[in-house]
């Protein structure tokens, strides 16, 4: 039996595993159901590819929350700085943005992916597109695994010393990662936590008037609070509710609250740079014949969607009481009634449990089969933490598959 590894899933995690293995002289075949590779990576580059973050490592690893310990072991071997160096090796220079986030100078993902695929092809890696793994996996004679793919030419059976599953999460299914593997691995006895939306939006029961008027409007320079979470930034009002970077940052907490209590109350400060007393003093100025809307704009600068939110959620009596009005400008409760569907989320929480894999990311139930990337049970906010951990876990799985194949 020749030393070959089958990698299923050609996203950042699978391609990184492929690179590590081929660098050690292994024969590597990458299979993907889509007609081209790295579609989610390309999509991530549409609004500026946030590759990683420049904050100190000790702070960086905290972003993985309850899975810090597990993810940190991957990152120790492939740090955010290593990732920047790796990108440089592909001719992609990076820079640190004002928020500390790291982007390629060209912002897009396509130059990086193009250069990477060129290098991987030159290294002799074989790519098999339109090959959809259908969940079939069995142990072959003399170890190794047998996997089956649906291809345009019918079912194809492949034998490999080791298999790496890098199938992604369950969001944006049209880009290839549809989460179908959850059921297959579950049936194989692998412990898988249900996939849940992460970095996602939420539903709000807006009135028809508010929805029609403010759909797509950004709320800039606001602070959002929920429990211990307080962060300034911006988000967007949508027809269905709210989405955008500030909402995504709080989304894991909000999602868990909704799943436990049916709803979550987000607190919004629409004037975070002004103390309550300032607002009271300004709002107390005589209104004269001015409408309340123009009084709000003239005295405290609140207009458009911000003023609209006050009309949406507070009573006439609260408007008539200056202290109450000022209080709600700084502490407006917005009830979130549901999490937006997984398919719309930036990423997935849940996935293959860390209890189901060893330190090399090999499945206990399926020796010789490894997992990498977003399909493992961790989550992180946006800020480059997702891609960094996907790349780093791909390395771990690749090195694990190498050890396994060499030992076999
Ligand atoms: C809009 C958007 C913007 C984002 N922006 C950023 C960002 O700026 N920074 C950041 O860090 N992260 C970002 N992310 C998240 C990041 O893109 C993902 O976390 C990352 O791509 C996951 O990598 P992966 O290799 O684990 O899986 P994926 O990239 O999802 O790749 C999985 C691959 O497996 C293939 N596959 C799945 N099932 C099968 C099957 N049965 N048979 C064969 N092939 C299969 C898929 O076709 C796919 O090619 C963004 C995501 C989205 C949706």
């Amino acid at each position: 039996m020749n030393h070959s590894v089958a990698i299923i899933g050609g996203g950042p995690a699978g391609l990184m595993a492929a690179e590590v293995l081929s660098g050690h002289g292994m024969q590597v075949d990458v299979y993907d159901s889509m007609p081209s590779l790295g579609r989610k990576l390309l999509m991530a580059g549409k609004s500026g590819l946030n590759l990683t973050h420049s904050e100190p490592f000790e702070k960086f690893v905290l972003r993985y929350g309850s899975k810090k310990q597990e993810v940190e072991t991957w990152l120790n071997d492939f740090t955010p700085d290593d990732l920047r160096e790796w990108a440089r090796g592909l001719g992609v220079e990076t820079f640190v943005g004002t928020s500390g986030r790291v982007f390629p100078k060209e912002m897009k993902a396509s130059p990086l992916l193009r250069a990477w695929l060129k290098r991987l092809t030159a290294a002799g890696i074989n790519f098999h597109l339109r090959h959809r793994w259908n969940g079939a996996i069995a142990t072959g004679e003399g170890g190794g695994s047998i996997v089956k793919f649906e291809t345009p030419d019918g079912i194809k059976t492949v034998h490999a010393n080791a298999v790496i599953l890098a199938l992604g999460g369950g969001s944006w299914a049209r880009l290839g990662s549809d989460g179908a593997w959850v059921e297959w691995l579950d049936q194989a006895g692998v412990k898988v936590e249900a996939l849940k939306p992460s970095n996602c939006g939420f539903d709000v029961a807006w009135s028809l008037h508010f929805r029609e008027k403010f759909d797509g409007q950004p709320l800039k320079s606001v602070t959002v609070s929920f429990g211990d979470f307080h962060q300034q930034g911006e988000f967007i009002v949508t027809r269905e509710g709210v989405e955008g970077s500030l909402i995504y940052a709080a989304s894991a907490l909000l999602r868990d609250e909704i799943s436990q209590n049916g709803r979550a109350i987000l607190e919004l400060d629409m004037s975070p740079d002004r103390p309550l007393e300032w607002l009271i003093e300004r709002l107390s100025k005589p209104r004269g014949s001015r409408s309340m809307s123009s009084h709000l704009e003239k005295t405290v600068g609140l207009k458009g969607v911000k003023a609209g939110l006050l009309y949406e959620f507070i009573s006439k009596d609260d408007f008539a009481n200056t202290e109450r009005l000022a209080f709600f400008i700084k502490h407006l409760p917005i009830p979130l009634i549901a999490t937006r569907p997984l398919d719309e989320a930036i990423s997935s929480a849940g996935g293959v449990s860390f209890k189901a894999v060893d330190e090399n990311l090999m499945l206990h139930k399926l020796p010789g089969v490894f997992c990498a990337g977003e399909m493992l049970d961790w989550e992180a906010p946006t800020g480059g933490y997702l891609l960094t951990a996907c790349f780093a876990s791909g390395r771990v799985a690749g090195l694990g598959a190498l050890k396994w194949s060499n030992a076999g």
Side-chain angles (χ1 to χ4, degrees):
M1 193 165 164
N2 57 353
H3 285 282
S4 66
V5 178
I7 296 176
I8 313 179
L15 294 178
M16 188 53 95
E19 182 152 271
V20 166
L21 283 157
S22 113
H24 284 84
M26 298 289 291
Q27 185 198 315
V28 182
D29 289 88
V30 176
Y31 300 86
D32 201 292
S33 53
M34 299 300 281
S36 64
L37 298 165
R39 290 195 171 201
K40 196 173 271 183
L41 179 64
L42 287 176
M43 177 56 74
K46 280 250 156 102
S47 50
L49 184 70
N50 186 187
L51 261 185
T52 188
H53 203 288
S54 63
E55 68 196 359
F57 189 74
E58 310 76 62
K59 207 167 164 205
F60 189 98
V61 293
L62 293 178
R63 308 299 177 179
Y64 300 94
S66 62
K67 303 294 159 44
K68 167 190 177 278
Q69 218 183 325
E70 289 86 349
V71 177
E72 190 172 359
T73 61
W74 311 339
L75 298 175
N76 277 331
D77 205 36
F78 192 68
T79 65
D81 283 342
D82 293 336
L83 175 51
R84 295 184 70 183
E85 198 50 45
W86 170 84
R88 186 172 299 127
L90 286 168
V92 175
E93 290 295 331
T94 56
F95 74 97
V96 179
T98 44
S99 57
R101 295 175 180 220
V102 174
F103 301 91
K105 279 207 169 120
E106 288 187 69
M107 295 304 277
K108 293 181 290 179
S110 43
L112 183 138
L113 184 62
R114 217 177 304 123
W116 196 13
L117 290 176
K118 197 170 161 198
R119 188 162 84 186
L120 296 177
T121 307
I125 293 169
N126 303 308
F127 296 108
H128 309 268
L129 303 175
R130 295 190 172 91
H131 278 58
R132 179 175 164 80
W133 178 50
N134 62 9
I137 190 155
T139 306
E141 267 175 49
S145 299
I146 302 170
V147 276
K148 290 197 173 165
F149 296 93
E150 288 161 9
T151 79
D153 304 320
I155 297 286
K156 184 163 157 184
T157 303
V158 168
H159 298 247
N161 287 73
V163 172
I164 295 178
L165 302 176
L167 303 165
S171 76
W172 290 63
R174 64 184 177 279
L175 302 178
S177 24
D178 59 9
W181 55 266
V182 169
E183 200 187 322
W184 304 329
L185 289 187
D186 197 52
Q187 279 166 7
V190 174
K191 187 167 168 46
V192 182
E193 301 297 341
L195 294 182
K196 291 179 283 190
S198 184
N199 296 300
C200 56
F202 293 89
D203 287 342
V204 180
W206 303 127
S207 65
L208 193 62
H209 169 76
F210 184 89
R211 167 178 302 157
E212 295 298 335
K213 193 158 176 196
F214 297 113
D215 174 25
Q217 295 280 314
L219 274 140
K220 296 195 172 173
S221 305
V222 293
T223 295
V224 150
S225 300
F226 181 75
D228 292 337
F229 179 92
H230 307 279
Q231 197 168 306
Q232 193 164 346
E234 59 184 77
F235 67 90
I236 296 169
V237 164
T238 64
R239 284 191 76 74
E240 294 79 19
V242 287
E243 66 175 37
S245 56
L246 192 52
I247 298 296
Y248 298 159
S251 64
L253 294 168
L254 297 167
R255 176 200 66 215
D256 292 347
E257 173 77 5
I258 291 174
S259 95
Q260 271 166 33
N261 299 316
R263 65 180 201 155
I265 309 291
L266 188 75
E267 194 178 284
L268 181 64
D269 182 348
M270 296 192 280
S271 194
D273 302 327
R274 300 288 192 189
L276 183 69
E277 298 69 32
W278 184 88
L279 291 173
I280 295 174
E281 193 232 304
R282 301 281 298 180
L283 289 166
S284 301
K285 290 190 187 304
R287 177 147 79 95
S289 58
R290 275 204 301 254
S291 69
M292 182 47 93
S293 301
S294 105
H295 187 60
L296 275 173
E297 183 174 353
K298 287 258 153 48
T299 54
V300 295
L302 232 66
K303 57 180 180 171
V305 63
K306 287 187 178 172
L309 277 171
L310 289 173
Y311 287 105
E312 183 73 356
F313 287 117
I314 74 172
S315 68
K316 276 206 171 108
D317 288 349
D318 290 328
F319 261 107
N321 179 326
T322 305
E323 276 86 16
R324 300 278 301 156
L325 180 56
F327 174 83
F328 281 122
I329 290 173
K330 292 202 69 69
H331 304 276
L332 188 70
I334 301 185
L336 309 182
I337 54 170
T339 306
R340 294 297 302 155
L342 174 60
D343 196 43
E344 290 177 18
I346 297 289
S347 57
S348 306
V352 174
S353 166
F354 282 99
K355 292 195 187 104
V357 290
D358 67 11
E359 71 281 7
N360 297 312
L361 298 179
M362 185 172 83
L363 291 166
H364 298 301
K365 285 274 176 191
L366 298 170
V369 181
F370 298 75
C371 294
E374 203 182 304
M375 70 181 293
L376 286 156
D377 179 23
W378 57 277
E379 67 177 315
T382 56
Y385 308 104
L386 297 165
L387 282 173
T388 308
C390 287
F391 286 122
S393 66
R395 266 182 67 81
V396 173
L399 290 170
L402 178 72
K403 258 192 260 171
W404 169 266
S405 304
N406 285 341

